[in-house]
């Protein structure tokens, strides 16, 4: 919010039309095979966001698995003009920043940080939707910063997969396959960035390193 406000954008948090329960993408239901419950969450979210979509307002999210559900599974569960319109305006934070920079509309006074290198671990959904380029493009707005993509597959957390006793060992084995060895090269003065909530938890649990979301890095770079 601070980054977007600093760039001159007015940020409004989406709220449900009725009740106090926050909006939800429903992915946690989908992961458990509860399609009807997921469809109900999608319906709530589409109805709440419809006025903003009709007004042409970008719908921005921070968590790849949540935001990209709006672009993919919503249209599959609830095909129609409303879900298609929402999918067309839903974008990740870094995609919005990169888009505005390309259009010459971005006005962010970003400053060099003491750390001169940022290493990126991509969330599986980001990779599937080819949105990692937007992360790198966004970070190019920070002066004197070198970015490097960590060569790694899935972190192994995959929602609740890493916390279930019957799949915990497989989750750790996935992390140790290539992500953990790659993170051994991360220097204490480097920024370690990962947009995925599950990814950050897995990295913290397995390596005791402290990854951050790219939005947090940009907030630190503001004058």
């Amino acid at each position: 919010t601070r980054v977007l406000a600093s760039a001159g954008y007015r940020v409004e948090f989406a709220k449900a039309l009725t009740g106090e329960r926050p909006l939800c993408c429903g992915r946690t239901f989908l992961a458990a095979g509860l399609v009807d419950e997921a469809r109900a969450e999608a319906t709530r979210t589409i109805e709440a966001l419809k006025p903003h979509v009709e007004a042409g307002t970008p719908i921005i999210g921070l968590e790849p698995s949540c935001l990209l559900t709006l672009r993919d599974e919503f249209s599959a569960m609830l095909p129609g003009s409303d879900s298609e319109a929402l999918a067309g305006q839903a974008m990740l934070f870094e995609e919005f920043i990169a888009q505005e920079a390309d259009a010459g509309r971005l006005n962010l006074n970003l400053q060099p940080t003491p750390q001169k290198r940022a290493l990126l671990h991509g969330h599986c959904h980001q990779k599937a939707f080819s949105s990692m380029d937007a992360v790198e493009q966004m970070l190019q707005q920070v002066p004197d910063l070198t970015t490097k993509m960590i060569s790694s597959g899935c972190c192994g957390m995959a929602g609740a997969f890493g916390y279930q006793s019957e799949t915990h060992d497989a989750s750790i084995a996935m992390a140790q396959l290539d992500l953990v060895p790659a993170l051994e090269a991360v220097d204490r003065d480097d920024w370690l960035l990962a947009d995925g909530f599950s990814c950050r938890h897995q990295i913290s649990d397995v390596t005791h390193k402290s990854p951050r979301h790219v939005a947090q890095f940009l907030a630190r770079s503001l004058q």
Side-chain angles (χ1 to χ4, degrees), residues 113-124:
T113 61
Q115 298 87 350
K116 299 303 180 185
R117 190 169 73 144
L119 289 95
L120 312 175
H121 167 70
H123 188 286
C124 289

Side-chain angles (χ1 to χ4, degrees), residues 63-65 120-127 132 150 152-160 162-163 171 175 179-180 183 192-213:
E63 167 60 38
S65 61
L120 312 175
H121 167 70
H123 188 286
C124 289
H125 279 90
Q126 285 177 297
K127 294 173 182 175
M132 289 305 297
I150 296 173
S152 59
C154 180
C155 73
M157 178 59 74
Y163 285 120
S171 170
L179 176 59
V180 172
L183 291 179
L192 175 56
L193 303 177
D195 282 354
F197 181 79
S198 296
C199 302
R200 293 196 300 274
H201 268 272
Q202 183 80 316
I203 292 171
S204 297
D205 290 344
V206 177
T207 70
H208 305 295
K209 296 183 185 294
S210 300
R212 295 288 183 267
H213 193 284

Side-chain angles (χ1 to χ4, degrees), residues 73-116:
E73 284 84 355
F74 274 22
S75 296
M77 292 188 293
L78 296 167
S81 58
D82 289 344
S83 59
E84 290 176 6
L86 173 56
Q89 286 172 227
M91 61 186 74
L92 289 165
F93 170 82
E94 56 269 18
E95 292 176 327
F96 177 75
I97 295 293
Q99 170 189 282
E100 296 301 279
D102 277 346
R105 294 188 294 261
L106 187 67
N107 183 26
L108 269 179
N109 191 8
L110 299 174
Q111 302 297 311
T113 61
Q115 298 87 350
K116 299 303 180 185

Side-chain angles (χ1 to χ4, degrees), residues 34-45:
L34 303 173
V35 180
D36 289 340
E37 289 84 347
R39 187 178 289 112
E41 293 300 324
T43 300
R44 290 177 65 237
T45 300

